[in-house]
Amino acid sequence: RLCRRRPMMSDTKSVPKRTGGVTAYFIQEDNSGVTASDKGWGNVNFVAKTLAALSLISKNLEEDAIIDVVDDLAREQAHAFAYKEDQCWLIGDGTSTYGGMTGLLTLFNGGSYASAITAASNHDTFVEYDSADLAAVMAGVADFPGMNPSWLCSKTFAESVFGRLKLTAQGNAGADLDRRYRYGYGGYPADTSEVMPKDGTQAVTTVEALFGDFSMSSSFGDRRGIMVEVLRERYAEKLQVGVLAHER
């Protein structure tokens, strides 16, 4: 939902990327003219790669189970695909394990970026982050037209940081404390991912949460959706059924 999905009509696709903008200048009538400036463009290249999962189940189990085990297994494989996509997007290190992709957390933790905000001194666990730390993160995002920022973190971070600050804020009534709150902070919603850091009990020096408009930072090529095949003949001598799911 967060990063932009780009349909791919072939194995490869190239999309334009803004690398710089136009500059406006004040001029006078007797001046020599207006200094020219151009919008900068670059390209981002997408290459379709196949992600697959294969599971074997007993034919007897398929026949006797109360639930549709093939359908249940297909849903489990879809969940595995979603988790792998999150891993590629966030913690990918450029190796074959992540399809050659490098994730946002890997980039932030391995490089120097102006938008990487450091918490206050001695604020290095979830229970120590305060409203000033979060305000600094929100203030560190560039103000581009049409931006729609949101938070991305683990459920543990959302409860330990956002939830703690909301529940301890002044003016809460009993009904407020009993009501389930929405994840988010500062008027911006929060999405959670199992891939984001969850261990907030020890001092860390890595990125713990992300804030920004992820559709402007990340794109995901989508050649086609998930396809599921039931392989009955290949494993027949083992009295097993293969369930193969794959996407590109």
Side-chain angles (χ1 to χ4, degrees):
R1 187 187 75 84
L2 295 177
C3 63
R4 180 179 299 176
R5 299 190 75 92
R6 296 182 180 272
M8 299 175 64
M9 304 307 294
S10 62
D11 286 350
T12 61
K13 181 176 183 176
S14 181
V15 297
K17 174 185 177 181
R18 180 184 182 274
T19 60
V22 174
T23 302
Y25 300 91
F26 285 105
I27 63 170
Q28 298 177 359
E29 291 185 6
D30 58 351
N31 199 285
S32 59
V34 183
T35 302
S37 62
D38 298 314
K39 183 175 183 179
W41 291 96
N43 285 319
V44 176
N45 295 315
F46 293 84
V47 179
K49 299 182 179 183
T50 303
L51 183 65
L54 173 65
S55 301
L56 302 180
I57 58 175
S58 163
K59 279 191 174 182
N60 293 333
L61 175 63
E62 183 191 17
E63 293 173 357
D64 300 339
I66 297 176
I67 64 172
D68 187 336
V69 291
V70 173
D71 185 59
D72 179 75
L73 188 56
R75 287 196 298 269
E76 185 67 26
Q77 290 173 328
H79 178 269
F81 285 178
Y83 185 68
K84 176 63 75 171
E85 290 177 9
D86 267 12
Q87 287 182 314
C88 293
W89 179 40
L90 297 171
I91 63 172
D93 58 8
T95 64
S96 58
T97 301
Y98 304 103
M101 288 173 265
T102 303
L104 290 179
L105 289 178
T106 304
L107 291 171
F108 272 112
N109 289 323
S112 178
Y113 296 90
S115 57
I117 306 302
T118 302
S121 178
N122 297 322
H123 287 196
D124 48 17
T125 64
F126 288 0
V127 296
E128 293 171 340
Y129 296 145
D130 60 20
S131 57
D133 295 324
L134 300 184
V137 173
M138 293 186 288
V141 175
D143 189 13
F144 288 106
M147 282 193 64
N148 187 26
S150 62
W151 292 91
L152 177 63
C153 60
S154 64
K155 183 177 182 294
T156 306
F157 185 98
E159 296 284 1
S160 301
V161 182
F162 300 151
R164 170 175 54 84
L165 293 175
K166 288 180 179 180
L167 294 176
T168 56
Q170 295 182 359
N172 277 325
D176 298 322
L177 300 178
D178 190 53
R179 185 183 301 113
R180 181 178 180 180
Y181 56 85
R182 295 176 58 188
Y183 288 149
Y185 188 83
Y188 298 100
D191 288 279
T192 60
S193 170
E194 279 294 302
V195 179
M196 293 296 291
K198 298 186 285 291
D199 187 0
T201 61
Q202 58 183 353
V204 294
T205 57
T206 57
V207 175
E208 300 291 289
L210 297 171
F211 177 77
D213 189 334
F214 299 98
S215 67
M216 299 182 72
S217 72
S218 312
S219 294
F220 201 91
D222 191 359
R223 181 67 178 90
R224 62 163 169 75
I226 299 176
M227 296 183 63
V228 178
E229 300 178 41
V230 180
L231 310 177
R232 298 189 180 278
E233 299 300 327
R234 180 176 178 182
Y235 304 101
E237 77 279 7
K238 299 180 180 181
L239 294 179
Q240 291 180 322
V241 176
V243 180
L244 175 66
H246 47 93
E247 67 173 1
R248 298 178 65 197

